[in-house]
Amino acid sequence: MDEYSIENTHKALKGRLIEYIETAYFGKNDELRNLCKDELELQGVMWKEPYIEANPAYVSVISGISKSKSIPEDVKEILGEMIECGLGVYQNPYSHQIEALEAFYSGKDLFVATGTGSGKTECFMWPMISKLVREAKMSAESWSKRGVRAMMLYPMNALVSDQLGRLRKMIGTDAFYNLFVDYTKENRRPQFGMYTGRTLVLCQDLVQVKMRNFSPF
């Protein structure tokens, strides 16, 4: 594994950069290459020593969801079933993921700010999905009425596609459908859709609206 160490990776990148500069700008002029070699090897001219930043270790809580005293028991049951089925809920989640669940079911607004790869998505998907399952279980009349119950907004289409894939793996599977039907006795499971600037139907609707509102001089 030494070949993939930080030091070796840095040396390889530096070497390739210098080789590129020599090939692209010096060509076959060996005299010019030799004159500039020491200059290119000097730190601060073309390269610098690597800056290493260690990511913080996020605190995991063993059986954190089931041990929480603030998460409702039926929500624990729902998420516990998802844990057993491998549907994107974890046995030992991060502490901030548990805090997000607790805050949500305490009626608080959430603002989550953590590093990359710290599980921010789960901080809102777990409350959202469990709330939908909870509604289907506890309020059949309400659940029978179709409508938008949650909306997720993202600044880029790439994020939309990534998060849609995450959501599909959590609730778009046969395993979730079977879990949902067994737990709620309802056949209509939660559905989701995606709308971006590339969504053709939405664009056509907007064009039709503009045309209806257009008044010639």
Side-chain angles (χ1 to χ4, degrees), residues 60-129:
S60 295
V61 182
I62 306 299
S63 301
I65 294 175
S66 61
K67 289 182 178 179
S68 172
K69 296 181 180 179
S70 301
I71 301 173
E73 291 301 321
D74 59 332
V75 174
K76 292 181 183 180
E77 186 177 356
I78 295 167
L79 296 176
E81 292 284 347
M82 293 183 70
I83 291 173
E84 291 184 8
C85 294
L87 294 174
V89 182
Y90 312 122
Q91 180 69 36
N92 305 317
Y94 292 135
S95 59
H96 57 269
Q97 294 171 333
I98 301 170
E99 290 171 6
L101 275 167
E102 293 174 339
F104 178 82
Y105 281 106
S106 296
K108 298 178 181 179
D109 296 325
L110 304 180
F111 187 95
V112 181
T114 62
T116 302
S118 62
K120 291 186 291 293
T121 298
E122 288 75 14
C123 288
F124 63 83
M125 279 199 178
W126 292 355
M128 178 184 68
I129 293 171

Side-chain angles (χ1 to χ4, degrees), residues 177-190:
Y177 178 71
N178 294 333
L179 181 158
F180 181 82
V181 172
D182 290 342
Y183 183 77
T184 66
K185 311 306 178 187
E186 295 283 344
N187 290 320
R188 186 178 69 81
R189 63 177 169 183

Side-chain angles (χ1 to χ4, degrees), residues 44-215:
V45 177
M46 295 298 302
W47 58 273
K48 289 187 176 181
E49 290 293 338
Y51 178 80
I52 302 172
E53 181 180 7
N55 289 327
Y58 300 102
V59 179
S60 295
V61 182
I62 306 299
S63 301
I65 294 175
S66 61
K67 289 182 178 179
S68 172
K69 296 181 180 179
S70 301
I71 301 173
E73 291 301 321
D74 59 332
V75 174
K76 292 181 183 180
E77 186 177 356
I78 295 167
L79 296 176
E81 292 284 347
M82 293 183 70
I83 291 173
E84 291 184 8
C85 294
L87 294 174
V89 182
Y90 312 122
Q91 180 69 36
N92 305 317
Y94 292 135
S95 59
H96 57 269
Q97 294 171 333
I98 301 170
E99 290 171 6
L101 275 167
E102 293 174 339
F104 178 82
Y105 281 106
S106 296
K108 298 178 181 179
D109 296 325
L110 304 180
F111 187 95
V112 181
T114 62
T116 302
S118 62
K120 291 186 291 293
T121 298
E122 288 75 14
C123 288
F124 63 83
M125 279 199 178
W126 292 355
M128 178 184 68
I129 293 171
S130 58
K131 186 176 185 297
L132 293 175
V133 178
R134 199 183 195 198
E135 179 187 349
K137 172 73 172 180
M138 302 175 64
S139 181
E141 182 180 356
S142 171
W143 184 251
S144 66
K145 299 176 182 178
R146 300 179 66 88
V148 177
R149 288 170 166 81
M151 183 178 294
M152 295 181 286
L153 305 177
Y154 296 98
M156 296 183 295
N157 287 345
L159 282 175
V160 175
S161 299
D162 174 74
Q163 296 290 293
L164 187 67
R166 300 275 293 277
L167 188 59
R168 185 176 288 115
K169 289 180 180 179
M170 294 179 77
I171 69 173
T173 63
D174 290 338
F176 179 82
Y177 178 71
N178 294 333
L179 181 158
F180 181 82
V181 172
D182 290 342
Y183 183 77
T184 66
K185 311 306 178 187
E186 295 283 344
N187 290 320
R188 186 178 69 81
R189 63 177 169 183
Q191 298 172 312
F192 54 90
M194 175 180 70
Y195 293 93
T196 70
R198 297 177 181 177
T199 304
L200 182 60
V201 175
L202 181 61
C203 292
Q204 289 176 342
D205 289 344
L206 290 175
V207 170
Q208 291 173 3
V209 170
K210 289 180 180 178
M211 291 299 293
R212 286 198 299 268
N213 293 335
F214 175 75
S215 298

